[in-house]
Amino acid sequence: MRSVRLFGLPLAVVLAGVLGGLCYGLLKSPTYTATAYVLVVSKSASGSTASDFAQAYVRLAPLRETLAWSGAPLPDTALAQAADHIHASATSGVPMIELTGTAGTPRQAASFANTAADALVRYSRAHQQDTGVVATLMTRAGVPLSPSSPDLPFDLAVGAAAGVLLAVLAVVARAVRRGTIPAHERPARRTVTAPGSAAGAPEERETGGDPHDQHTGEGECTTRPPTRSSSGPGPTGSPSPRT
């Protein structure tokens, strides 16, 4: 029973985290990702021009004005909403653009990526006299075979990590509430010196014993002897002698 009280709550919290990650991985709608690649080529000898225009085309690729140049049909969605399914990126210094399409089905994900790549190639060719560069399709996006998310092992690991963290916090909170913090982590106790006692000597109090006893400041117990009168009758009732 003691083991259950000590470890029952932390184990329950960790198990709840694992079950939460499992439910998320099983119930979340799958998302598929497909990627196409476009290379920007400069007509001049300078390679930096192509890299600079690649960075500019990254910002233009998801726009609906650029997507309107595509000759490929878009999935069943509005042109304004298509930008939410397309992500463009490029590495600095490399004139290669990565166009990623995401959707709830594999074919739609590939369609978004290929539509964005075709639109960017057509747009660059229409403006190559002004820019001096042209975009060329390197790789078309293929239909993905498996969803990119959710990732069940990753979701289970995240849920377990969250459960362990909450379990540690619960154990610490219970230890603080019960006052079972280790001695080296407790605040230092202060010693109060009673007034009139020796310098640096702490006040000591004792309980028990004769209530008529009086205790000195050093903890010694003394009893006062009865006082005797110098006048009056003596023990036998005779008057005391005169001096």
Side-chain angles (χ1 to χ4, degrees):
M1 292 300 294
R2 180 178 178 85
S3 301
V4 174
R5 289 195 302 268
L6 290 177
F7 303 104
L9 179 60
L11 291 178
V13 173
V14 173
L15 182 60
V18 173
L19 292 178
L22 178 62
C23 293
Y24 178 83
L26 295 178
L27 299 179
K28 186 180 182 297
S29 300
T31 300
Y32 293 86
T33 302
T35 304
Y37 294 93
V38 172
L39 180 65
V40 180
V41 181
S42 175
K43 293 182 178 181
S44 63
S46 176
S48 60
T49 304
S51 301
D52 295 339
F53 272 98
Q55 297 294 330
Y57 284 156
V58 164
R59 298 179 178 88
L60 295 176
L63 300 180
R64 62 180 181 178
E65 291 82 4
T66 307
L67 295 175
W69 286 82
S70 176
L74 282 170
D76 298 333
T77 182
L79 187 61
Q81 298 176 352
D84 299 333
H85 299 270
I86 297 172
H87 175 72
S89 63
T91 304
S92 178
V94 180
M96 179 76 72
I97 302 175
E98 179 180 323
L99 298 167
T100 303
T102 57
T105 62
R107 292 187 178 276
Q108 286 186 349
S111 178
F112 278 120
N114 291 326
T115 298
D118 182 69
L120 192 59
V121 169
R122 290 173 180 266
Y123 177 84
S124 68
R125 289 178 178 176
H127 296 83
Q128 62 180 335
Q129 297 298 331
D130 301 326
T131 61
V133 297
V134 63
T136 304
L137 180 63
M138 290 292 296
T139 306
R140 290 180 56 86
V143 178
L145 300 178
S146 60
S148 57
S149 67
D151 187 356
L152 189 57
F154 177 77
D155 295 334
L156 287 175
V158 171
V164 170
L165 178 61
L166 292 177
V168 171
L169 293 177
V171 171
V172 172
R174 183 170 58 182
V176 171
R177 186 176 66 251
R178 294 183 178 181
T180 57
I181 300 298
H184 65 278
E185 298 181 4
R186 297 179 184 176
R189 299 180 60 182
R190 299 179 61 185
T191 303
V192 180
T193 304
S197 60
E203 178 185 9
E204 298 181 0
R205 297 182 179 179
E206 300 178 359
T207 57
D210 191 352
H212 297 288
D213 295 342
Q214 298 181 355
H215 301 276
T216 63
E218 299 180 355
E220 298 179 357
C221 178
T222 59
T223 304
R224 293 184 179 179
T227 58
R228 192 172 180 182
S229 177
S230 59
S231 62
T236 57
S238 60
S240 57
R242 296 182 179 178
T243 57

